[in-house]
């Protein structure tokens, strides 16, 4: 048990670490996508891949990091991860990226020999191959037409980027210097975050920080559920149409949701949405949940800390083979 003052200090400190990472990335990214458009987000996660802190820049990025770190942990057991490692993942199906140009860089944080946290960032890349410059083909009918894809891979060992992997990335990009510059910026901000976390560990101990994160996560979930419980029970449905998917021009695609609320339980049911699109209009469930999380955050009467508690406070239901839960290799 951590006292409420220490919990608040550590929660604010972790939020500050993420903001430092964010500003460092915005200042060191090579492309205007990062430096001016700010199409990038940063986060701190526990060693189990639970979201400890995140500063929301783009709402969809709220769903990226737990899924991407889960992909790393599935490919690399904890005992095979070492200080100085870095991981790259941009696969929408084998990771958490909205689409392939969004590359996630993940760095483990060690206290001595113990892996205690991950620092991570995601940023859109200027070009990763494919048939059109920018890699976002409006006519793609599978993900293979959207550029190079990486499942979770170790691309940094002992703080050095693998020259072989860098060669592969460069060989598949029309703007290799921009892409690698942005990736190095992501690594730099992750290492900065790691240093700041270790400073907190030295001051408070890893155990105290871990307890504070757990308490704040549970507190966030409880506070959201408590406010939800004050809303009227019932359900409501709505739908909207996308003009088309870019391939079947003129054929609208329906996204339909029924929101069900009873007590403190809130469910977003998207099962009546249309089948997956042939063109690049699909999205994975983890990003659907992120969008719903942002709706909830925006509906609350008070601000909440952004952590795993937000994602734990509600449920979504999607249908396999639909536009919100497409199956490989449907384009994104």
């Amino acid at each position: 048990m951590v006292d409420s003052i220490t919990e608040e200090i550590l929660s604010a400190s972790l939020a500050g670490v993420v903001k430092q990472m964010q500003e460092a990335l915005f200042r060191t990214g090579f492309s205007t996508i990062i430096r001016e458009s700010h199409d990038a987000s940063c986060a701190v996660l526990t060693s189990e891949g639970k979201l400890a802190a995140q500063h929301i820049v783009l709402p969809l990025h709220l769903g990226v990091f737990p899924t991407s770190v889960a992909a790393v942990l599935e490919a690399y057991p904890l005992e095979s991860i070492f200080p100085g490692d870095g991981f790259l993942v941009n696969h929408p199906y084998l990771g958490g990226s909205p689409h392939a140009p969004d590359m996630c860089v993940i760095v483990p944080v060690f206290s001595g020999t113990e892996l205690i946290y991950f620092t991570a960032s995601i940023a859109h890349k200027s070009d990763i191959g494919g048939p059109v410059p920018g890699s976002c083909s409006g006519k793609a009918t599978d993900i293979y037409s959207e550029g190079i894809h990486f499942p979770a891979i170790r691309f940094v060992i002992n703080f050095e980027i693998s020259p072989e992997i860098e060669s592969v990335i460069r060989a598949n990009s029309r703007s290799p210097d921009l892409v690698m510059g942005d990736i190095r910026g992501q690594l730099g901000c992750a290492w900065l975050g790691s240093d700041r976390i270790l400073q907190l560990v030295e001051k408070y101990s890893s155990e105290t920080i871990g307890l504070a994160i757990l308490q704040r996560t549970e507190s966030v979930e409880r506070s959201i559920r408590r406010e939800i419980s004050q809303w009227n029970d019932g359900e409501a449905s709505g739908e909207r149409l996308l003009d088309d998917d870019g391939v079947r021009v003129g054929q609208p695609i329906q996204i339909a949701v029924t929101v069900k609320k009873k007590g403190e339980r809130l469910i977003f049911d998207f099962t009546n949405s249309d089948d997956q699109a042939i063109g690049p209009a699909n999205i994975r469930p983890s990003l659907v949940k992120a969008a719903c999380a942002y709706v909830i955050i925006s509906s609350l009467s008070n601000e909440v800390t952004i952590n795993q508690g937000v994602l734990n406070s509600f449920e979504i239901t999607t249908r396999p083979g639909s536009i919100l839960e497409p199956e490989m290799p449907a384009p994104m």
Side-chain angles (χ1 to χ4, degrees):
M1 185 74 175
V2 176
D3 66 87
S4 58
I5 294 175
T6 302
E7 178 189 324
E8 185 65 32
I9 289 171
L10 287 171
S11 178
S13 296
L14 287 170
V17 169
V18 171
K19 289 180 181 178
Q20 278 191 290
M21 292 171 61
Q22 199 86 55
E23 291 304 319
L25 181 55
F26 289 159
R27 284 168 169 75
T28 58
F30 273 42
S31 70
T32 55
I33 296 171
I34 290 179
R35 288 187 291 106
E36 296 182 16
S37 299
H38 289 184
D39 190 350
S41 293
C42 300
V44 174
L45 299 100
T46 68
S47 58
E48 295 83 26
K50 304 299 183 183
L51 192 63
Q54 182 175 345
H55 178 65
I56 293 181
V57 178
L58 296 178
L60 279 189
H61 289 172
L62 185 60
V64 164
F65 296 110
T67 312
S68 295
V69 172
V72 170
L73 292 174
E74 184 175 350
Y76 299 90
L78 286 177
E79 61 271 17
S80 69
I81 299 175
F82 304 101
D85 282 351
F87 301 91
L88 180 70
V89 56
N90 74 326
H91 202 296
Y93 294 93
L94 304 178
S97 296
H99 59 171
D102 288 326
M103 288 189 165
C104 193
V105 172
I106 300 165
V107 165
V109 180
F110 280 84
S111 177
T113 59
E114 182 186 5
L115 196 165
I116 52 175
Y117 297 103
F118 290 98
T119 55
S121 67
I122 188 170
H124 188 99
K125 297 296 174 288
S126 54
D127 188 280
I128 56 162
V132 300
S135 307
C136 294
S137 171
K139 298 296 183 183
T141 56
D142 56 45
I143 62 169
Y144 308 114
S145 301
E146 299 182 304
I148 191 170
H149 286 74
F150 292 99
I153 61 166
R154 191 192 333 253
F155 82 117
V156 176
I157 298 175
N158 197 25
F159 300 100
E160 294 290 336
I161 294 178
S162 162
E164 292 85 2
I165 293 175
E166 178 169 351
S167 294
V168 171
I169 294 172
R170 286 183 171 276
N172 282 275
S173 175
R174 298 173 178 86
S175 52
D177 291 338
L178 285 180
V179 170
M180 287 310 305
D182 284 352
I183 288 175
R184 284 187 162 85
Q186 288 181 256
L187 272 174
C189 82
W191 287 330
L192 171 66
S194 177
D195 290 343
R196 295 293 183 265
I197 290 172
L198 291 177
Q199 290 171 4
L200 289 174
V201 168
E202 185 176 353
K203 185 175 182 180
Y204 292 96
S205 85
S206 177
E207 181 182 8
T208 299
I209 297 172
L211 285 172
I213 290 172
L214 180 61
Q215 287 179 198
R216 180 51 62 98
T217 298
E218 293 175 346
S219 173
V220 167
E221 181 179 353
R222 281 197 307 270
S223 66
I224 294 175
R225 288 184 179 275
R226 185 164 53 246
E227 184 151 349
I228 289 172
S229 70
Q230 298 172 17
W231 301 348
N232 293 331
D233 285 350
E235 64 178 64
S237 299
E239 60 281 323
R240 287 293 183 270
L241 296 176
L242 302 179
D243 290 343
D244 54 57
D245 63 7
V247 173
R248 294 176 296 184
V249 177
Q251 296 185 33
I253 301 169
Q254 177 176 268
I255 296 176
V257 62
T258 297
V259 183
K260 306 172 184 177
K261 187 269 174 184
K262 184 175 182 180
E264 64 174 21
R265 191 179 184 197
L266 190 65
I267 304 173
F268 294 82
D269 185 347
F270 292 94
T271 53
N272 289 327
S273 297
D274 281 351
D275 291 343
Q276 65 189 50
I278 293 176
N282 301 291
I283 192 169
R284 296 288 296 157
S286 59
L287 287 313
V288 177
K289 188 160 193 180
C292 294
Y294 197 71
V295 169
I296 291 175
I297 292 168
S298 302
S299 303
L300 299 175
S301 58
N302 297 309
E303 290 188 13
V304 295
T305 303
I306 305 303
N307 61 25
Q308 190 69 37
V310 176
L311 296 172
N312 292 346
S313 66
F314 68 98
E315 304 163 56
I316 69 165
T317 304
T318 55
R319 175 172 55 83
S322 71
I323 191 170
L324 305 180
E325 192 179 344
E327 297 175 342
M328 274 279 284
M332 295 291 113

